[in-house]
Amino acid sequence: MTQAEKGEAENGKDKERDREREQRGGKRPIVPAAVPESLQEQIQSNFIVVIHPGSTTLRLGRATDTLPAGIPHVIARRHKQPGQAAYRDSWLLRDGLNKPESTEQRQNGLKMVDQAIWSKKMSNGARRIPVSPDQARSYNRQMRPAILDHSSGAKWTNTSNHPEFLVGEEALYVNPLDSYNIHWPIRRGQLNLHPGPGGSLTAVLADLEVIWSYAIQKYLEIPLKDLKYYRCILLIPDIYNKQHVKELVNMILMKMGFSGIIVHQESVCATFGSGLSSACIVDVGDQKTSVCCVEDGVSHRNTRLCLAYGGSDVSRCFYWLMQRAGFPYRDCQLTNKLDCLLLQHLKETFCHLDQDISGLQDHEFQIRHPDSPALLYQFRLGDEKLQAPMALFYPATFGIVGQKMTILQHRSQGDPEDPHDEHYLLATQSKQEQSAKATADRKSMSKPGAFEEPLTAHMSRKTAISQFEGKALGLDKAILHSIDCCASDDTKKKMYSSILVVGGGLMFHKAQEFLQHRILNKMPPSFRRVVENVEVITRPKDMDPRLIAWKGGAVLACLDTTQELWIYQREWQRFGVRMLRERAAFVW
């Protein structure tokens, strides 16, 4: 037997022993990342891809890019069998809109909106004169479109060679008569799992892999076989599902083949991207709005809230208000993807949060759908343009009934692969720690007023949380609640003077002044006296708020302290989810 063969045999025995030891439960401690020599020089940011997967838009780019590419986060998949029923994930429609109480709730919300509009004076000191939808309706009802051109110039996606899937813009323009299912793999910030076709975890992960791989090849011009030379920074929501994050990391390292990964929270990345060390981050997306307080790179767990509404709910609400005012485009359907795109565009063009704009105004818009003429519509609108975005502060106006509208950070269910999760830590607390905790609890019970909280306290807290989660909090109330959950008054003061709004859902004219006024008026009086200035920031350094979190991911790639956060493919293969506990930049 040669020396080399002996060495190999010895090596094999070592590995065998390690494996046995692991099976017996004597896990070897995880060693620090063995970074190959060649990588120890500053890792080039050019070989790091930053991925920020939103519910409606995927943003990705190299860490050295000034701006990321942004594509609709959607895929069309060809039917397996001919004659199969088409399945399409909805975009502006959602569960809970057609309940018997929906209309009444919508009307009540609108009354509150109108009351708020009336009670706040215009900048010249006068009251706004409300405009009733009837004033616009009679004019809009008689409007007929002008034909600009007999061909709109828009085309359906060409599917003549039957591609298996289409991604992004091409998926949106698939002819509904073609044999394709439409899937949005992320809804309300989480993986879109549902009992319908394509709703299993495996199917959703497969969709994400196809969309991301396509975008990396098309927009970053990186062949997939070269991903082994690249690493990935993945942005995840603050309130994340551990199981889903684990699956995404596995997909990026083991299926797509990136050599390493860092996972970080959107809110912390937003502070990096805006250059703020601490802020209350208000991320208004298309599908969800998340609020949390970040201090020196840490997102405070107790301050995290996710509201199950966003920009698409404002678009749908605007459509309902325009219909009341006799919206002249009568064929508009919320089930039609192109009409959804039009409504999003109308909201972005016409809606505002400026009390000084009042009365009826004339507007026009064009419709360019495939296989149809290009049409020009003229119409009049009054308060609808202000009422729709105000629904974010009075979410009853969305008319969503029987849905969980506020999500808080909960304990995870535990993971058999992660032996050191919080359940393990609880179970292995020493007797000393347990008795010390019990004594502390008894002492707090003996304080005046504490005796009302015996064993039922935990249960009543659970009930309080579930009641809280059933309610739709307005955006301003959610911000106040989040700041109020900070541990110290000093931190609270810091947060009031740095409220950063990111995402694309609150990009309305005068949104910054509007939100600032509401926070000032509603904050606890004790703070009003001590906080020098309440500051709401909507465009830090004049940046597009939709790109700030992505930009923060790119900044993270260049920080020296980042080097110890990388999880490499081989470590993941060996230790799995335990690497997230070891290396994540936040408490896993």
Side-chain angles (χ1 to χ4, degrees):
M1 194 186 246
T2 68
Q3 209 54 38
E5 283 170 336
K6 264 188 195 154
E8 263 181 29
E10 285 299 325
N11 219 347
K13 280 179 191 157
D14 280 354
K15 281 186 179 156
E16 203 53 55
R17 273 198 297 274
D18 287 348
R19 211 167 294 131
E20 276 172 31
R21 199 179 312 147
E22 280 198 32
Q23 279 162 359
R24 286 199 306 271
K27 296 266 192 296
R28 283 170 60 168
I30 296 177
V31 291
V35 181
E37 291 291 316
S38 59
L39 284 174
Q40 281 174 350
E41 300 106 55
Q42 188 57 35
I43 287 138
Q44 302 116 314
S45 308
N46 198 27
F47 284 86
I48 296 174
V49 174
V50 180
I51 301 180
H52 184 196
S55 304
T56 304
T57 309
L58 164 69
R59 298 187 204 284
L60 85 178
R62 287 178 169 84
T64 45
D65 292 342
T66 318
L67 299 170
I71 65 164
H73 209 174
V74 62
I75 185 170
R77 283 197 179 271
R78 198 180 71 230
H79 290 169
K80 299 268 192 293
Q81 283 90 25
Q84 186 178 326
Y87 173 85
R88 295 187 185 94
D89 278 336
S90 54
W91 180 1
L92 295 189
L93 285 172
R94 58 183 293 172
D95 291 341
L97 293 172
N98 298 320
K99 297 279 192 295
E101 315 85 62
S102 292
T103 309
E104 187 189 346
Q105 189 168 303
R106 218 178 262 134
Q107 304 288 4
N108 289 343
L110 191 58
K111 272 188 198 137
M112 291 190 277
V113 166
D114 286 340
Q115 176 60 36
I117 292 174
W118 183 83
S119 64
K120 185 173 179 250
K121 290 179 176 166
M122 301 200 297
S123 55
N124 62 8
R127 293 258 178 228
R128 274 176 111 263
I129 297 160
V131 182
S132 94
D134 313 350
Q135 290 171 262
R137 195 184 299 126
S138 49
Y139 173 84
N140 290 339
R141 283 265 164 88
Q142 58 192 14
M143 292 313 287
R144 295 290 171 268
I147 294 178
L148 294 174
D149 193 329
H150 286 288
S151 162
S152 67
K155 289 189 165 54
W156 295 117
T157 301
N158 179 358
T159 55
S160 56
N161 48 5
H162 312 297
E164 194 181 321
F165 60 81
L166 293 149
V167 165
E169 203 79 29
E170 290 190 328
L172 288 180
Y173 277 87
V174 165
N175 188 327
L177 302 174
D178 273 354
S179 308
Y180 283 82
N181 287 347
I182 305 293
H183 302 291
W184 296 88
I186 297 183
R187 296 279 80 175
R188 316 224 173 282
Q190 301 294 335
L191 298 189
N192 183 18
L193 307 184
H194 57 82
S200 69
L201 180 58
T202 315
V204 169
L205 289 166
D207 285 346
L208 288 171
E209 188 184 339
V210 168
I211 298 171
W212 299 1
S213 301
Y214 168 87
I216 285 168
Q217 289 175 98
K218 180 167 179 184
Y219 298 100
L220 308 187
E221 297 178 349
I222 301 171
L224 296 182
K225 65 176 173 38
D226 288 353
L227 287 183
K228 58 178 176 286
Y229 305 118
Y230 285 80
R231 278 169 305 159
C232 170
I233 290 183
L234 175 69
L235 275 60
I236 59 166
D238 289 74
I239 298 182
Y240 54 89
N241 178 314
K242 285 188 173 183
Q243 176 66 22
H244 294 178
V245 173
K246 178 175 107 174
E247 294 292 352
L248 288 172
V249 170
N250 196 58
M251 175 187 98
I252 287 168
L253 294 177
M254 308 316 297
K255 298 243 174 77
M256 294 175 77
F258 276 96
S259 66
I261 189 171
I262 288 175
V263 178
H264 215 333
Q265 293 161 304
E266 289 170 333
S267 65
V268 178
C269 290
T271 60
F272 293 154
S274 59
L276 297 168
S277 60
S278 301
C280 174
I281 304 292
V282 183
D283 183 351
V284 189
D286 183 65
Q287 299 262 313
K288 61 111 170 96
T289 298
S290 47
V291 184
C292 85
C293 295
V294 175
E295 204 176 7
D296 302 324
V298 177
S299 148
H300 290 310
R301 188 185 174 107
N302 294 344
T303 67
R304 295 176 200 160
L305 283 170
C306 180
L307 311 169
Y309 59 75
S312 60
D313 297 282
V314 176
S315 302
R316 191 186 57 252
C317 181
F318 188 41
Y319 174 50
W320 168 63
L321 292 164
M322 289 194 297
Q323 279 182 305
R324 289 168 77 235
F327 188 48
Y329 169 38
R330 312 219 199 317
D331 295 333
C332 189
Q333 297 286 334
L334 289 175
T335 47
N336 178 332
K337 297 187 300 291
L338 303 189
D339 285 345
C340 289
L341 280 170
L342 171 78
L343 292 169
Q344 295 272 57
H345 170 70
L346 294 182
K347 172 197 71 179
E348 287 162 14
T349 311
F350 300 131
C351 286
H352 62 82
L353 282 166
D354 185 350
Q355 293 279 125
D356 289 358
I357 300 175
S358 66
L360 280 175
Q361 269 107 20
D362 287 339
H363 298 289
E364 59 179 46
F365 64 92
Q366 293 184 17
I367 293 182
R368 293 179 177 270
H369 284 353
D371 299 341
S372 315
L375 304 174
L376 176 74
Y377 281 91
Q378 294 186 316
F379 71 136
R380 271 181 196 162
L381 286 177
D383 290 346
E384 294 80 11
K385 297 169 293 185
L386 174 58
Q387 289 163 329
M390 278 186 71
L392 290 167
F393 300 89
Y394 299 95
T397 319
F398 295 136
I400 304 158
V401 174
Q403 300 290 303
K404 193 169 170 180
M405 293 304 287
T406 306
I407 295 121
L408 301 169
Q409 180 82 59
H410 285 304
R411 276 226 155 122
S412 75
Q413 296 305 300
D415 183 335
E417 288 179 35
D418 184 6
H420 298 104
D421 63 12
E422 56 232 76
H423 300 274
Y424 166 86
L425 296 175
L426 264 173
T428 54
Q429 268 181 341
S430 70
K431 292 278 185 291
Q432 256 175 321
E433 286 170 314
Q434 286 175 7
S435 63
K437 193 170 176 298
T439 316
D441 286 351
R442 269 200 302 280
K443 277 186 185 156
S444 70
M445 294 289 285
S446 61
K447 284 180 192 156
F451 60 82
E452 295 112 354
E453 206 182 297
L455 286 173
T456 53
H458 180 63
M459 289 317 291
S460 61
R461 184 173 174 272
K462 270 194 148 170
T463 319
I465 285 181
S466 65
Q467 284 174 339
F468 182 71
E469 292 193 329
K471 286 199 179 73
L473 276 188
L475 184 56
D476 46 354
K477 291 213 176 95
I479 294 169
L480 292 164
H481 178 88
S482 177
I483 294 177
D484 191 47
C485 288
C486 289
S488 71
D489 283 3
D490 272 356
T491 305
K492 290 177 193 181
K493 276 194 265 186
K494 228 190 264 183
M495 296 304 153
Y496 276 120
S497 55
S498 184
I499 297 168
L500 175 67
V501 181
V502 297
L506 199 69
M507 292 173 67
F508 301 110
H509 171 62
K510 288 286 170 106
Q512 188 264 341
E513 296 87 337
F514 186 91
L515 181 55
Q516 195 153 308
H517 176 268
R518 288 192 72 99
I519 298 291
L520 260 170
N521 275 4
K522 293 197 170 176
M523 66 194 277
S526 54
F527 279 100
R528 209 170 298 157
R529 288 192 292 275
V530 291
V531 175
E532 284 88 70
N533 60 330
V534 166
E535 194 175 351
V536 171
I537 306 154
T538 49
R539 291 190 80 91
K541 304 179 191 161
D542 215 27
M543 284 166 65
D544 181 338
R546 292 169 295 191
L547 309 181
I548 289 170
W550 181 88
K551 198 78 190 154
V555 168
L556 179 66
C558 311
L559 299 176
D560 291 343
T561 49
T562 303
Q563 302 315 321
E564 62 217 38
L565 303 178
W566 290 105
I567 295 173
Y568 294 99
Q569 193 187 62
R570 284 177 57 192
E571 300 174 307
W572 180 262
Q573 230 168 336
R574 173 134 197 225
F575 298 109
V577 75
R578 287 193 287 154
M579 292 308 300
L580 280 164
R581 175 167 304 286
E582 293 274 326
R583 301 267 166 81
F586 48 93
V587 178
W588 174 254

